[in-house]
Amino acid sequence: MPITTHSNKIVFRNTLEEGVKQQDEEIDFGQRMINSIDVQFVDTNLYMSKELWLPFGSRGAFGGQVVAQALLSGWNTVEEGFNVHSLHAYFILACNVEIPVIYQVERIRDGRSFVTRTVTATQKGKPIFLLTCSFVKIDDNLNMDHQVNIYCIYIYICYKVLIYNYYRLICLMFQVLKTFHRKDQPVDYREVHNLSPLEIMKGESVATTVNRRWFKTRGPLTDDMRLHACVIAYASDSGFLNTAAKANGVSYTSPSVGMMTSLDHSIWFHKPTRADEWLLFDKYSPRSINGRSVVLGKIYTRDGCLVATAAQEGIIRLSEIGQKKLQKKLDLTDSKL
């Protein structure tokens, strides 16, 4: 039999042991973002990750990357003319960056207006992640349109202030992290309210239920709106659960935190938008109890248009140090009663 080759040759790469490139080397961050969420066609309804990224201090691959790759896998089985309008995901096991992820797509429904897909991500034959996503046919008819008002002037001021604070903090003590950020992150994140260097080192700060950040890709993307939706899914998982930690006056760097990991993740896409232009992620955490926390978030364009809403529940467990601190605080409160 003749030997045949396939143009879609499978090549898997992880960034676990990837060397840092020269600082003066030009990096195409737009292409890096595309590569990060791209998947390889294997067979009908079957796809594989091309890249996986292990964030600093994480025990598994970045969850947002798995969400984006699973979404793209499902979207690849949907005919043109449909946009994603919602997704709901469950993180089951930590994703090992040293082996590829297999994405199995199940075609639940193909309707005239809505299409539903379920995507199961597996490694070594075990499910590590489950995604259900729904797509809606693009509708050019007149429809109801409303959103809760947000003050555009406030957004504009925050946009200006965050850039100043970001570089001020970097210049103070995080030149090394700046280099790491530039080399490793295809998405540019800018916090509206930066923690002080002391708060970052201690992992503790004044408790606040609100956490806002701007984000966009570090390079321009193509006009494929599937790509932009997948990038929003990718970025929505970054720092999301940390909002709940901050609501309790700590962060993932705190010795009081023993475990922090996502359980599930949901996004509702209201309107297609570009992810290579600044978007504001306005997050808040309404509740933490029994070792679990819930975080809600809204994503706005610079002109104040609400384009997506997200929600996540995760595990945040105290370390022994954190439990002792909390017990001491509770005892002190009881003594004052």
Side-chain angles (χ1 to χ4, degrees), residues 170-286:
I170 291 297
C171 293
L172 281 173
M173 61 175 299
F174 290 101
Q175 189 62 39
V176 175
L177 289 182
K178 179 184 177 183
T179 302
F180 169 80
H181 173 81
R182 179 181 182 273
K183 295 298 182 183
D184 215 41
Q185 293 266 17
V187 179
D188 193 352
Y189 302 102
R190 309 288 182 94
E191 301 293 337
V192 173
H193 303 290
N194 283 311
L195 298 176
S196 69
L198 182 60
E199 288 174 323
I200 293 175
M201 287 187 294
K202 292 177 61 179
E204 298 179 0
S205 62
V206 176
T208 173
T209 58
V210 177
N211 185 23
R212 299 183 178 94
R213 65 161 44 168
W214 292 87
F215 72 89
K216 72 177 184 68
T217 58
R218 296 179 65 84
L221 302 176
T222 66
D223 293 330
D224 183 358
M225 297 312 293
R226 297 190 313 164
L227 171 62
H228 292 270
C230 288
V231 170
I232 290 175
Y234 176 101
S236 68
D237 189 49
S238 178
F240 203 12
L241 191 56
N242 196 45
T243 303
K246 292 180 67 175
N248 290 274
V250 297
S251 72
Y252 69 94
T253 61
S254 173
S256 294
V257 177
M259 180 181 184
M260 183 185 298
T261 187
S262 303
L263 287 172
D264 56 34
H265 192 82
S266 297
I267 308 175
W268 294 267
F269 297 87
H270 309 308
K271 181 179 179 181
T273 192
R274 298 192 67 90
D276 54 3
E277 298 177 357
W278 287 110
L279 297 171
L280 177 68
F281 198 4
D282 185 9
K283 302 165 286 183
Y284 80 99
S285 178

Side-chain angles (χ1 to χ4, degrees), residues 303-321:
D303 59 3
C305 179
L306 179 64
V307 295
T309 301
Q312 185 175 103
E313 183 183 39
I315 295 174
I316 303 183
R317 291 176 179 160
L318 293 173
S319 63
E320 289 187 11
I321 294 175

